[in-house]
Amino acid sequence: MKESAAEPQKIRRKNSVSEVIGRCDSGIGASIRENEEKHMITGEVEAVDRKQKIRDRYKGVDISELEVIPAKIIEDLETSSVIRRVAAYIRVSTDNDEQTSSYELQKNYYTDYIQAQPGWVFVGIYADEGISGTSLEHRKGMQQLIEDCKAGKIDLVLTKSIARFARNIVDCLSVIELLKNLNPPVGVKFEADNIYTLDSNGRMILTILASVAEEESHSKSIIMNWSIDRRFSRGLFLTPALLGYDKDEEGNLVINPEEAQTVKVIYYLYLNGYSLMEIATLLMEYSRKTKLGRVEWNPGTLAGVLANERHCGDVLARKTFTPNFLTLKSKKNNNDRTQNRQKNHHEAIVSREVFNAANHLRASRNYSKKNRPLPVLSVVEDGILRGYVPFDKDWTGFSAEEYREASESVMKEPDATVAADVKKRLDLTGYEIVRVQYFSTMQNPAMTISNGRLRFNTACLKKFENVEYVELLLNSVERCIAIRPCNKNNPNAIRWGRLKEGRWCASTLGCRGLAKTLFDIMEWDEDLRYRFRGQFLEQGDNKMMLFAFDEPEMIKVEEIVLPPKENTEEDEGETVKKKIYIFPPEWAGTFGQPITSIAQVGILRQEHYAGNWDVFRPATEIEEMNIFTAESLNELLREAEKIMEGWTDYR
């Protein structure tokens, strides 16, 4: 009974506690909601207050309290009463008859128009005739206009259109901006486009139209180049005025006898060792006229005469091209664009042989030895140097193929008996390949050649005691270069070293001819240096040095930036040149391999030569391979002198 009575009491206490807790929870929730509502109301009030403050602030002050200073109104150009100093700029891109008429019409129109406007003062016409609008570089009229605007002489510039003003958007906008920022500013009125640059709306329209003008010029350039290429591909060549020729009614080149004499004298004297300055002086002494009728000559003019293939009857199109239509700077065409050549296009003044020889001589700039015949192809016919061809290190007139033909002209088929004998005496059984390129060259003879530079190390000079001059010989079949002592008067002599404080020091030599030949034969990379180990050979008084160039040491020179030194404020260190040595991939894994073939000993066959060495045996001229001998050059000189004898009456 007691348990049943107590139970309802517990339940009642529990319910009572729950009710109290519920009432407490309800009170807390109501309090939170009340606070949230208060915050919301406060925030809304503050927002309304902020907006009202902004409205009140932007009501401004009483207008009567302000002093209004009105802006200067840009007056209409034609109806304005303000006195303006007005100039006009006109340009035509060519000087043909049609463009000339347009040029004159524009000049007359702007002169009359400006002078007719009340309040306008005519400053003048600034003009460029026959000048492209893609660049400001050669537009003297535009340049003068800008200078006069800077000097405050002009208020307004009139021009026909944006295309007449400039076809380069950068130049157009920069000039407009420059004139606009002057004090006072100078405006430009483009009549056809109805744009005035001091107008606020003119800038955007001007930018668009200037871009259109530039692209139009680009399109014209593409079309013009396409048209020219089509003409050249069909043999329709452009024929400018040329010394030695006139044009007939159909535009064909015909020889002008009087001018042709001048052309011949230039070529013949040049081939006989006269410098371009000496020839120019002679022509002025005889009062010979240029194509423009002047009597002033200079080396540049003569170089142009020598370089023009039309004098030997040929035509070569596209010798130069313009890579950028904006700069209009021409560039020599080194196979960058397709060329077209037609031989025997017209009657020649000089033979093709004379033309080629003169230009080979021009290419060999260091070959300037007066009263000395041109180099001839000759070859050593016998001895240890059989098949070797002497050459001038600067002469570029002979091709790699011609050097090969000269060597082959006396080279015999290898004798099997001799080869077996050499192989027997050079028993290399048990020997292994150890390439010398992996070791220091300081004490060993070495020759280094780059694209235009030649250097022998001091070890080479020490092998030839007191030998100041040497001759270089090339064997394109054996792929070797030989060096033998010679005297100073040898036509191919080079001074390969110099005495300094009683010691021989190596010199760096120019070698355009040698470099061109070797780089053509070996297909070398022009950005690399090639170093060869030399083999000094000696038998009695016969001394020589051989360089085989099948396996050269390749050197690449790169600039690197060293890390900055400690305790310095510099961001970068010193820039130095670093040599990188490159070896052929086929050398990999060959170090230490057994020698299995006589071919692998290469240059050793020369050292074991069993015949008569005769190192100093002179080379024999190959008649069939030489056009210009000493006698043939003398004939050209006599012809030039005969022509000049006929000029004496005009002196």
Side-chain angles (χ1 to χ4, degrees), residues 331-348:
K331 179 183 177 183
K332 186 177 180 180
N333 187 3
N334 294 317
N335 298 324
D336 300 294
R337 298 287 190 276
T338 301
Q339 293 182 290
N340 300 97
R341 180 192 297 274
Q342 183 178 351
K343 294 184 177 180
N344 304 317
H345 175 267
H346 53 271
E347 187 178 356

Side-chain angles (χ1 to χ4, degrees), residues 39 42 61 67 170 186 235 264 278 309 336 356 376 442 450 495 497 512 516 558 599 623:
H39 283 301
T42 304
V61 300
E67 180 185 358
V170 175
V186 178
K264 289 180 179 180
E278 290 173 330
E309 78 290 339
D336 300 294
N356 290 335
V376 294
M442 187 70 69
S450 61
R495 190 169 183 259
R512 297 182 68 247
K516 180 180 182 299
E558 290 186 348
E623 294 184 4

